[in-house]
Amino acid sequence: MQLTSLPNSLRPREKLIEKGPKALTDAELLAIFLRTGLPGMNVIELAQHLLNENKTLHNLFNASQDEFCAQKGLGMAKYVQLQAVLELSQRYMQERCQRGAVFNSPNAVYEYLTLQMRGLQQEVFMVLYLDSQNRLVKDEILFYGTINSASVYPREVLKAALKNNAAAIILAHNHPSGIAEPRQADKLITDRLQQALQLVDINVLDHIIVGGETCVSFAQRGLI
């Protein structure tokens, strides 16, 4: 069925204007991004086809350039447009957080860290530096590669925390495999960092692991 044949209440753009973006399904939101369908397939049907093929939005948005462009109804122009949208979303989140958002619970940082780390093919170790009110001062990737006691140096984390005048920090790293469960090495390095930072009265509030769209909090697990 042609999109123009649908009542306004079922057309994604009209529905968004009337009810707001949260009322739309993933396929409807994706349809607005795609704008046009293909012969014999309206834009909502195309969007649903892409979601079915990729299983999740995460898989679609994190496909390589070649994988993305090879899919039905997509191409280089859509790839460039999507990368711009994703980057704008990430910068918006950074700006919002850097304007004084308070990180006082694991849920408060999940969305921020997911935007920062999702889709990364390499493991990275990030530190969020907070002031005495648990407001974000700065975030910084300090280490790259598989996290273990040999690749994460407590003295470097300590030096960076002091440089940024942090009253507390949140540790974070990603698991590109998509499995966010803590490894033994993750627990060991967290303990070492806690011990080092306690010497200068800087609290380690949490260590969060990002795996795809899933986050695991050491604080919620009672590991910190």
Side-chain angles (χ1 to χ4, degrees):
M1 180 182 290
Q2 293 292 321
L3 197 63
T4 53
S5 301
L6 295 174
N8 283 347
S9 61
L10 296 180
R11 299 181 191 180
R13 277 186 282 189
E14 286 78 359
K15 184 176 178 180
L16 187 148
I17 291 170
E18 181 183 352
K19 298 182 179 180
K22 292 188 181 299
L24 275 66
T25 65
D26 289 348
E28 289 170 332
L29 289 170
L30 184 58
I32 293 175
F33 169 78
L34 294 172
R35 297 182 59 190
T36 59
L38 295 172
M41 183 180 288
N42 69 37
V43 68
I44 298 177
E45 293 168 338
L46 174 59
Q48 190 60 60
H49 168 78
L50 290 169
L51 289 174
N52 292 342
E53 288 292 305
N54 289 273
K55 309 300 183 187
T56 66
L57 284 171
H58 177 267
N59 291 341
L60 176 61
F61 289 173
N62 287 284
S64 69
Q65 178 179 316
D66 290 341
E67 291 170 340
F68 185 91
C69 293
Q71 298 188 65
K72 182 184 293 188
L74 303 178
M76 185 58 70
K78 286 287 190 294
Y79 178 78
V80 170
Q81 184 180 336
L82 175 63
Q83 296 309 306
V85 170
L86 293 175
E87 182 62 24
L88 281 171
S89 297
Q90 181 169 315
R91 294 186 187 188
Y92 164 73
M93 286 301 301
Q94 289 176 322
E95 183 179 284
R96 190 178 75 174
C97 290
Q98 289 167 355
R99 286 183 176 178
V102 178
F103 285 171
N104 57 6
S105 71
N107 288 335
V109 292
Y110 281 175
E111 183 180 5
Y112 182 79
L113 289 173
T114 300
L115 280 172
Q116 292 282 67
M117 292 182 163
R118 69 182 177 190
L120 293 178
Q121 300 303 308
Q122 183 182 22
E123 195 161 322
V124 301
F125 188 91
M126 176 181 285
V127 180
L128 307 182
Y129 308 107
L130 310 179
D131 66 13
S132 59
Q133 303 301 311
N134 290 342
R135 293 174 300 197
L136 182 67
V137 175
K138 179 183 176 182
D139 66 60
E140 182 177 22
I141 293 176
L142 287 183
F143 308 105
Y144 293 82
T146 302
I147 302 306
N148 55 53
S149 58
S151 63
V152 175
Y153 302 102
R155 67 176 178 274
E156 295 298 327
V157 177
L158 177 59
K159 182 168 67 175
L162 291 171
K163 177 183 177 182
N164 287 285
N165 197 30
I169 65 171
I170 294 173
L171 310 172
H173 78 278
N174 64 314
H175 286 175
S177 65
I179 301 172
E181 284 301 312
R183 300 176 298 225
Q184 186 60 28
D186 301 331
K187 299 173 184 177
L188 291 174
I189 194 59
T190 303
D191 290 341
R192 291 183 62 201
L193 290 172
Q194 275 191 290
Q195 292 169 15
L197 289 157
Q198 281 176 352
L199 297 175
V200 291
D201 294 324
I202 296 176
N203 293 323
V204 179
L205 299 182
D206 205 348
H207 185 168
I208 294 176
I209 301 175
V210 179
E213 299 295 329
T214 304
C215 294
V216 169
S217 160
F218 275 48
Q220 285 190 328
R221 291 279 184 92
L223 299 173
I224 201 168

